[in-house]
């Protein structure tokens, strides 16, 4: 399956199923998103109930994006948004791209694996809740779509996340009850004018009264877009009213002036097949209070409403990127398709040269030739554009060859946009969008590209600073965690650390396994508050203090007591949880002391697992004279002890004790023959596969029989 129609009918059944789902659920718009092969992108494969142009701002969504379609796949559950207010609160970026009253549902399309997401939208007139029956219908439809995708796969048609979406017509069982001519006569008898638009916005029918009011004959208007054939309607305000009618499925009205001074009222009545429009002279004959200003024929045409929404959406996305790779991915996944570009080169200024940070659509030899060009290069327009701060646009290879004769031969492209990335006059880099065929760059498109270049420059500069801080902090954290765990006779161990997927990918979680003088082992796990350089630095101090006291033979409660005194003396604003376990391998005994840390989970040889009841002391760094009670228990042969940080079990809206009980159940069901495999199982069967807002440290000890 691809973005293009399959003449053999490979897409016909899938399209029919999508259209049937839209009709049966009462939705006004439906879209089927497919996962890319690398499972990092969701792309619209088929769209029902709206033109393709409307879907462009959200045609490609990264799986990590804060959007309902991505959220549904990440958490493998149906996401319901009842109204615009809830959408703005939960998914502000999506609300920017869809500023209309509506409700929506996003559900994962899952069969033998997750294939993508089904998105459905309703007008705001429906109730802001979903019934169990509606939920079941949507889930059933998703299974049907997954089954059809898998059937196509068996026939050799692999789902592909590329190309543009197919537009699927909505089947409507309603039939006209009057003959065609009778309907036309009825419309002609009405005062004023009547016309019809399809969902693309083109005229499909006009009465003679409508043609008279609009000032052009039906033969000149049919098949055209109002804002193209009627220049006085060429204003984003009017196109936005049409867009609102299509997406909200609610009546919309506005007033416009037909030159030289006739004001007309337009009333739009939408449904799933198109829009009926009534046009009547304005009752007052005067401009409305908030009428858009009249423009002369010499006035520059403003950006289309679709472009404005696209620019707003992309601007919001750029504010959320974190690292340089995030900027590259966003430009490649959303900005390139927005301008139909086939090639991308994103370079930064480094030591007087342009170093390529990311690219798409270029071969390795081309990238090698273009990488490292000096800032004053005359080989391509990049140097001149960056020095002047003025974008350069080349519509075809001939235009480029006249000034830069060698540049077209290197890339093989046929049109280019060189967008300098500058902040306060300081060059940051350059973004080059290129095309495989000649491409016109109308003034509207150039304006949007130039505006986006400024936003990309700020995002890129911010991302480079972030990556520098991240590299420093990550190096610090790696240096502070143990490179390898010591080996003990009769004891198997495994450990894992996962950084948060949001923030700086670093934090204060730590673990350690210490060899003691009496042949015993000390297992330590802890969590310093925060996810930044300060947390990583304090984590190193805590781990060093615990290691030093434990190696000196200090009892478990005194190890925590003395470490606590150190932290209170340091006066840090960050608090630390910690769990210390003295493991006597020969005798099979455990002595546990905790400081505000979740209890360990113990699995016995018979397969039962439970949380170890502890009476922990307070967090380290609060009370300098706090006590840390010790709990003794047996570690029998074949038993497995799991120490973890709260990132493994904490889920918003879920009780912590319930999460720990669920962890114990997963431990009981798993095979502990391979500890590394057991770590993978414990991580995969919790909520850690979604975006993590906290670090996870995990330390497993298994006493061999």
């Amino acid at each position: 399956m691809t973005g293009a129609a399959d003449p053999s009918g490979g897409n016909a059944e899938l399209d029919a199923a999508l259209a049937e789902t839209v009709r049966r659920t009462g939705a006004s718009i439906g879209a089927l998103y497919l996962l890319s092969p690398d499972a990092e992108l969701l792309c619209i494969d088929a769209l029902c109930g709206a033109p393709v142009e409307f879907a462009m701002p959200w045609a490609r969504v990264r799986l990590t994006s804060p959007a309902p379609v991505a959220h549904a796949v990440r958490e493998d559950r149906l996401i319901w948004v009842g109204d615009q207010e809830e959408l703005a609160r939960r998914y502000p970026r999506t609300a920017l791209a869809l500023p209309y009253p509506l409700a929506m549902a996003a559900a994962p399309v899952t069969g033998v694996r997750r294939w993508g997401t089904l998105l459905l939208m309703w007008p705001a007139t429906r109730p802001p809740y979903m019934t169990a029956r509606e939920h079941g219908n949507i889930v059933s439809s998703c299974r049907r779509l997954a089954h059809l995708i898998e059937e196509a796969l068996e026939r050799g048609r692999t789902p592909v996340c590329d190309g543009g979406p197919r537009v699927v017509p909505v089947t409507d069982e309603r039939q006209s009850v009057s003959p065609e001519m009778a309907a036309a006569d009825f419309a002609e008898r009405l005062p004023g004018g009547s016309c019809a638009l399809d969902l693309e916005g083109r005229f499909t029918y006009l009465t003679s009264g409508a043609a008279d009011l609009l000032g052009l004959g039906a033969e000149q208007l049919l098949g055209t877009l109002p804002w193209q054939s009627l220049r006085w309607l060429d204003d984003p305000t009017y196109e936005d009213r049409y867009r609102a009618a299509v997406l909200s499925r609610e009546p919309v009205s506005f007033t416009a002036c037909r030159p030289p001074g006739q004001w007309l009222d337009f009333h739009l009545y939408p449904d799933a097949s198109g829009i009926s429009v009534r046009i009547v002279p304005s009752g007052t004959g005067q401009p409305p209070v908030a009428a858009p200003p009249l423009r002369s024929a010499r006035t520059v045409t403003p950006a289309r409403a679709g472009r404005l929404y696209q620019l707003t959406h992309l601007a919001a996305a750029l504010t959320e990127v974190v690292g340089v790779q995030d900027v590259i991915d966003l430009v490649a996944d959303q900005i390139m398709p927005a301008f139909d570009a086939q090639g991308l080169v994103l370079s930064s200024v480094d030591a007087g040269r342009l170093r390529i940070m990311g690219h798409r659509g270029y071969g390795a030899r081309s990238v090698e030739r273009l990488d490292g060009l000096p800032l004053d290069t005359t080989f391509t327009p990049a140097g001149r554009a960056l020095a002047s701060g003025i974008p350069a646009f080349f519509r075809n290879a001939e235009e480029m060859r006249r000034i830069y004769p060698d540049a077209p031969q290197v890339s093989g492209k046929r049109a280019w946009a060189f967008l300098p990335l500058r902040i306060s006059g300081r060059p940051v880099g350059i973004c080059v969008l290129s095309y495989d065929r000649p491409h016109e760059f109308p003034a509207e498109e150039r304006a949007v590209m130039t505006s986006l270049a400024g936003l990309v420059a700020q995002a890129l500069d911010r991302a480079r600073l972030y990556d520098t801080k991240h590299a420093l902090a990550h190096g610090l954290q790696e240096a502070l965690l143990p490179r390898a765990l010591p080996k003990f006779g009769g004891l198997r161990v495994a450990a894992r650390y996962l950084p948060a997927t949001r923030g700086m990918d670093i934090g204060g979680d730590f673990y350690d396994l210490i060899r003691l003088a009496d042949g015993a082992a000390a297992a330590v796990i802890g969590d310093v508050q925060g996810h930044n350089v300060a947390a990583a630095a304090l984590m190193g101090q805590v781990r060093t203090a615990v290691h030093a006291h434990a190696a000196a033979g200090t009892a478990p409660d005194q190890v925590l007591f003395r470490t606590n005194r150190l932290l209170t003396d340091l006066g840090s604003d960050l608090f630390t949880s910690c769990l210390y376990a003295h493991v006597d391998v020969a005798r099979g005994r455990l002595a546990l002391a905790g400081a505000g840390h979740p209890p360990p989970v113990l699995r016995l040889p018979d397969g039962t697992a439970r949380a170890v009841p502890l009476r922990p002391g307070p967090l380290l760094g609060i009370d300098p004279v706090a006590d840390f009670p010790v709990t003794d228990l047996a570690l029998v042969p074949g038993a497995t002890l799991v120490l973890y940080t709260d990132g493994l079990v904490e889920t918003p809206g879920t009780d912590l004790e319930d999460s720990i009980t669920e962890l114990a159940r997963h431990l009981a069901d798993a095979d502990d023959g391979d500890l590394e495999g057991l770590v993978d199982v414990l991580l995969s069967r919790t909520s850690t596969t979604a975006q993590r807002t906290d670090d996870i440290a995990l330390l497993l000890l298994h006493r061999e029989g």
Side-chain angles (χ1 to χ4, degrees), residues 307-660:
R307 284 289 193 198
L308 293 176
Y309 284 120
Q310 198 167 61
L311 179 59
T312 304
H313 176 72
L314 294 174
L318 281 168
T319 64
E320 296 180 356
V321 295
V322 179
V324 169
Q325 190 58 48
D326 295 331
V327 177
I328 296 169
D329 290 340
L330 188 138
V331 174
D333 298 337
Q334 297 196 33
I335 294 180
M336 277 180 63
F339 297 103
D340 298 323
Q342 291 80 49
L344 164 71
V345 174
L346 190 62
S347 303
S348 66
V349 175
D350 183 13
R353 292 187 176 272
L354 288 170
R355 297 295 181 185
I356 295 178
M357 298 182 296
H359 59 89
R360 298 288 192 278
Y362 283 80
R365 296 191 65 177
S366 298
V367 172
E368 182 180 357
R369 181 68 181 86
L370 297 171
D371 191 21
L373 294 174
L375 293 184
D376 58 354
T377 179
T378 57
F379 181 70
T380 75
R384 180 180 296 179
L386 192 56
S388 65
I390 301 173
F393 300 93
F394 297 85
R395 296 176 297 175
N396 50 58
E398 288 69 30
E399 284 188 3
M400 173 74 81
R401 195 174 291 113
R402 281 198 297 268
I403 309 175
Y404 305 94
D406 297 328
Q409 301 175 13
V410 172
S411 65
K413 302 298 182 182
R414 293 294 177 263
W416 299 262
F418 288 82
L419 307 174
L421 308 179
R422 298 169 65 90
I423 298 178
S424 301
R426 174 174 58 89
V428 174
I430 192 159
C431 177
V432 182
L433 297 177
S434 57
Y435 298 80
D436 294 338
R437 295 174 298 279
H439 180 83
E440 296 292 330
F441 294 96
E444 169 192 329
E445 189 171 71
R446 296 187 185 204
V448 176
M449 283 185 175
T450 303
S451 299
L452 275 176
L455 297 173
V456 171
Q458 295 181 31
L460 183 61
D461 195 48
R462 187 174 63 248
R464 292 176 67 187
L465 178 61
Y466 165 84
D467 282 351
T468 301
K469 288 180 61 179
H470 172 266
L472 172 64
H474 199 67
L476 172 64
Q477 187 174 47
E478 286 189 342
L480 294 175
L481 287 173
R483 294 183 178 275
L485 298 177
K487 298 184 181 300
F488 294 85
L491 192 68
R492 288 190 291 123
V493 298
R496 189 78 56 84
Y497 170 78
L498 292 180
T501 54
R502 296 181 64 182
M504 289 194 67
D505 289 349
I506 63 160
D509 288 20
F510 67 94
Y511 62 86
D512 205 353
L513 188 64
I514 307 163
R515 189 183 302 278
L516 303 180
D518 57 1
V524 188
I525 198 160
D527 183 0
V528 178
Q529 173 192 7
H531 308 93
N532 50 33
V533 178
L538 185 61
M539 176 267 284
Q541 293 175 305
V542 173
R543 178 171 171 255
T544 301
V546 171
H547 198 293
H549 293 310
T554 309
D557 57 335
Q558 287 301 304
V559 170
L560 295 186
F561 179 83
R562 297 178 184 183
T563 304
N564 179 54
R565 286 294 298 270
L566 171 65
L567 293 187
T568 54
D569 290 344
L570 289 174
S572 172
D573 293 332
L574 304 177
F575 303 129
T576 304
S577 72
C578 187
L579 180 65
Y580 181 93
H582 180 279
V583 187
D584 189 333
V585 183
R587 295 176 56 241
R589 301 297 302 176
L590 284 172
L592 299 166
H597 200 85
V601 176
L602 179 66
R603 170 179 163 144
L604 299 175
D606 62 1
T608 60
R610 61 181 177 87
V612 176
L614 291 181
R615 188 165 61 90
L619 293 168
L620 301 178
I622 298 177
D623 182 2
V625 296
D627 292 326
F628 302 93
V630 176
T631 300
D632 292 302
L633 72 155
L635 184 66
V636 299
T640 301
L641 184 71
V642 177
L643 288 74
Y644 56 92
T645 54
D646 56 10
L648 183 70
V649 291
E650 277 193 345
T651 303
T654 304
D655 183 77
L656 182 60
E657 290 187 4
D658 293 341
S659 296
I660 295 174

Side-chain angles (χ1 to χ4, degrees), residues 78-82 86 90 103-106 122 126-130:
L78 188 147
I79 302 297
W80 168 253
V81 181
E86 183 181 358
R90 294 173 57 188
M104 68 170 59
W122 292 264
R126 66 148 291 144
Y129 57 84
M130 173 171 286

Side-chain angles (χ1 to χ4, degrees), residues 36-82:
S36 61
D38 58 7
E40 292 185 356
L41 276 177
L42 285 164
C43 310
I44 295 183
D45 181 61
L47 179 66
C48 186
V52 172
E53 180 195 5
F54 283 19
M56 290 314 295
W58 61 90
R60 295 163 66 87
V61 179
R62 294 199 70 80
L63 196 59
T64 56
S65 174
V69 291
H71 193 182
V73 175
R74 290 198 307 267
E75 299 205 352
D76 195 25
R77 65 183 179 90
L78 188 147
I79 302 297
W80 168 253
V81 181

Side-chain angles (χ1 to χ4, degrees), residues 9-132:
N11 288 325
E13 292 184 359
L14 191 66
D15 293 352
L18 175 61
E20 171 65 14
T21 299
V22 172
R23 187 193 64 78
R24 186 156 48 91
T25 58
S28 55
I29 295 173
L32 175 62
Y33 283 81
L34 293 181
L35 270 171
S36 61
D38 58 7
E40 292 185 356
L41 276 177
L42 285 164
C43 310
I44 295 183
D45 181 61
L47 179 66
C48 186
V52 172
E53 180 195 5
F54 283 19
M56 290 314 295
W58 61 90
R60 295 163 66 87
V61 179
R62 294 199 70 80
L63 196 59
T64 56
S65 174
V69 291
H71 193 182
V73 175
R74 290 198 307 267
E75 299 205 352
D76 195 25
R77 65 183 179 90
L78 188 147
I79 302 297
W80 168 253
V81 181
D83 53 34
Q84 179 67 18
E85 182 179 346
E86 183 181 358
L87 182 66
R89 185 176 66 254
R90 294 173 57 188
Y91 305 101
R93 190 201 297 181
T94 304
L96 279 172
L98 293 169
Y100 308 107
L102 50 79
M104 68 170 59
V109 177
T110 305
V112 294
R113 68 175 180 85
R114 295 178 194 174
W115 295 104
T117 309
L118 171 66
L119 176 67
L120 298 170
M121 291 191 284
W122 292 264
T125 51
R126 66 148 291 144
Y129 57 84
M130 173 171 286
T131 65

